[in-house]
Amino acid sequence: MKIFIAAVMSVMLFACASSPTWEGMSEDDIAQWKANGFDARSAQVWHRGGFNAMQSKAWMEAKFDVDSAKDWSEEKFSADEAANWSQSGFELDDAVEERSKGLTPVKAK
């Protein structure tokens, strides 16, 4: 019986240890993430990507994952700007080139 209890306890400790946590975030940060609809797992992914809760929500609402949001953000696009370019059929490199010429995509009505 002791072996069974020890095995169950080991499994429970391992499961708890592997669960995403709010580690590295202040209580205010956690509140912001939760207020913007994030759980610990998704908050940590976006946080590691360099985004705060409000930025992450904007990028998600614009239909970007963290990797593509990071790429567009590094080129100084906001979530709205990136969505406009992307929805107009532009890949990031093309959007950067066209924007450098002073152009913007035409918004569909």
Side-chain angles (χ1 to χ4, degrees):
M1 186 66 163
K2 288 182 182 180
I3 294 174
F4 175 74
I5 292 172
V8 169
M9 292 297 288
S10 294
V11 169
M12 289 176 58
L13 286 174
F14 177 76
C16 291
S18 64
S19 297
T21 67
W22 296 101
E23 185 177 339
M25 295 185 192
S26 70
E27 288 185 26
D28 288 340
D29 289 338
I30 294 168
Q32 284 293 314
W33 286 103
K34 287 181 177 181
N36 282 284
F38 290 87
D39 61 14
R41 179 183 313 268
S42 57
Q44 288 292 0
V45 169
W46 283 93
H47 185 256
R48 282 191 302 270
F51 298 98
N52 66 33
M54 291 177 55
Q55 293 166 332
S56 300
K57 183 177 181 180
W59 283 104
M60 286 185 64
E61 287 176 346
K63 309 289 189 243
F64 287 88
D65 63 27
V66 70
D67 293 328
S68 58
K70 189 173 179 180
D71 292 341
W72 284 86
S73 179
E74 286 174 352
E75 293 294 340
K76 308 298 185 228
F77 286 91
S78 69
D80 288 339
E81 292 168 326
N84 192 26
W85 283 97
S86 182
Q87 291 167 2
S88 296
F90 288 88
E91 297 293 327
L92 176 57
D93 292 339
D94 296 328
V96 169
E97 184 178 331
E98 296 301 311
R99 183 181 64 177
S100 72
K101 297 175 188 174
L103 302 175
T104 58
V106 177
K107 291 186 179 185
K109 292 186 180 192

